[in-house]
Amino acid sequence: MNVLPYTKYHGCGNDFVIVHENWIDPSKIDASWIEAICDRHTGIGADGFIIVKEHPLEMIYYNQDGSRAPMCGNGIRCFSQFCLDEHIIDTPSFSVQTLAGEKVVYVQDDGRFQVDLGLPDLEPAKCALKAPIWNYDYKGLRLYTLFMSTIHTVVFVDDAFMDIEKIGQEICESSLFPEQTNVNFVQIVDDRHLRVQTYERGCGVTLACGTGVCASAYVAYQEKGCLNKLNVTMKKGSLDIEIDENRRVWMRGPAVKIAKGEYYESYNDQRIDRSLDHSIP
């Protein structure tokens, strides 16, 4: 029986299984293995799976379905808390390598983390688009697509906490987006406050999405007259977002340890021997 040590964290309800690279056999890492671990019924259960590498410090991020993603805003805060808890870092600021480039993390006095998410990129090619999707009409909804450490589409609605699963999946998987997109439903409360709910590619509806909140704040600032400092509420918490004078987007928020334990790999729902068919002819 194989045993995998793990720690689980959440950022505003967005939860992750986190492991150190030394805890796993690299030959086992594939989409079905990660999907089984993230399964909420037969695995540990999580929105994403994070591997921590050192020398240099690197966050390797997988979606719930086992697909790779460039970055995760809530994930990098949880990654940072893991690195503090495991004594991998002991400085007030540090750099993290990701597929979306190097991200700088600052540990705040209140225990939260501030992360420099960098500049939003509106170039269509960055989002695998042939032409911009910006203020684009889609069945009466206006879509704004950009790369904010990963691909995001922002949609302004009257109630961000409505049931978004059907329309979120429809937009995410639309032929408009060859590599799919994360879809953020944004409600402007006032010029300082937003409410956001996200349908994430490779995962579905989640309780929070850090990069999605950053993308939403940027579009609200750029297109809707909101201020450059915004508090954004999700269903299980809030983040503070700032767009500085150079258009760089900064995220500040918490990370919380949920559990630490061992995952037993003797049963993996993704790898059942299908020859054992007990059905009645």
Side-chain angles (χ1 to χ4, degrees):
M1 179 184 295
N2 295 315
V3 178
L4 174 69
Y6 75 91
T7 310
K8 186 174 178 180
Y9 291 78
H10 85 85
C12 300
N14 201 190
D15 58 343
F16 311 94
V17 172
I18 304 182
V19 302
H20 193 281
E21 61 177 331
N22 293 339
W23 300 353
I24 54 178
D25 177 356
S27 66
K28 288 186 176 183
I29 301 173
D30 62 21
S32 65
W33 184 75
I34 290 168
E35 187 175 14
I37 291 171
C38 292
D39 189 288
R40 296 195 181 277
H41 300 284
T42 58
I44 300 167
D47 291 325
F49 183 87
I50 297 172
I51 299 173
V52 178
K53 295 188 71 173
E54 296 187 67
H55 316 300
L57 191 63
E58 181 180 1
M59 181 177 84
I60 300 175
Y61 183 76
Y62 293 88
N63 292 315
Q64 186 184 74
D65 67 354
S67 59
R68 281 294 302 270
M71 229 286 288
C72 176
N74 292 318
I76 199 170
R77 298 196 317 277
C78 292
F79 170 98
S80 300
Q81 186 64 60
F82 174 95
C83 289
L84 286 175
D85 292 341
E86 297 293 328
H87 308 292
I88 295 170
I89 56 171
D90 60 1
T91 57
S93 65
F94 49 92
S95 297
V96 181
Q97 302 297 321
T98 77
L99 285 182
E102 182 178 274
K103 305 299 178 184
V104 181
V105 180
Y106 300 85
V107 184
Q108 305 292 282
D109 291 340
D110 61 5
R112 298 192 299 169
F113 297 92
Q114 179 168 286
V115 185
D116 178 1
L117 269 294
L119 295 168
D121 195 332
L122 275 60
E123 285 297 320
K126 191 71 173 180
C127 300
L129 304 176
K130 292 183 179 179
I133 294 180
W134 194 262
N135 199 15
Y136 179 93
D137 181 74
Y138 180 86
K139 299 183 179 180
L141 298 172
R142 312 304 297 187
L143 308 185
Y144 300 83
T145 298
L146 66 160
F147 191 89
M148 189 73 251
S149 291
T150 189
I151 303 170
H152 280 285
T153 296
V154 172
V155 185
F156 291 97
V157 294
D158 292 334
D159 180 9
F161 293 168
M162 65 181 183
D163 183 356
I164 66 166
E165 185 164 12
K166 183 177 179 180
I167 186 62
Q169 182 177 11
E170 181 181 325
I171 296 172
C172 171
E173 298 177 359
S174 166
S175 59
L176 290 169
F177 304 103
E179 295 183 5
Q180 300 190 352
T181 184
N182 299 288
V183 189
N184 306 279
F185 294 85
V186 182
Q187 174 186 349
I188 298 175
V189 179
D190 56 44
D191 61 4
R192 297 174 184 270
H193 300 91
L194 305 177
R195 300 171 83 205
V196 175
Q197 187 178 191
T198 303
Y199 184 98
E200 294 192 48
R201 62 175 181 170
C203 189
V205 180
T206 58
L207 291 171
C209 177
T211 54
V213 161
C214 291
S216 300
Y218 177 78
V219 179
Y221 164 72
Q222 189 73 20
E223 298 291 323
K224 300 295 183 179
C226 289
L227 300 181
N228 69 315
K229 294 182 180 180
L230 290 161
N231 178 261
V232 184
T233 301
M234 296 150 290
K235 285 191 172 181
K236 290 285 185 178
S238 67
L239 295 173
D240 291 317
I241 309 298
E242 180 177 353
I243 299 102
D244 69 18
E245 63 275 10
N246 298 313
R247 294 194 313 120
R248 300 187 75 85
V249 181
W250 296 78
M251 170 188 65
R252 185 182 297 110
V256 180
K257 182 189 284 187
I258 304 171
K260 187 171 185 176
E262 297 176 330
Y263 171 68
Y264 294 87
E265 298 183 71
S266 59
Y267 175 78
N268 184 321
D269 191 53
Q270 303 297 320
R271 298 176 181 176
I272 296 173
D273 183 354
R274 299 301 176 187
S275 66
L276 299 176
D277 186 355
H278 301 292
S279 61
I280 299 173

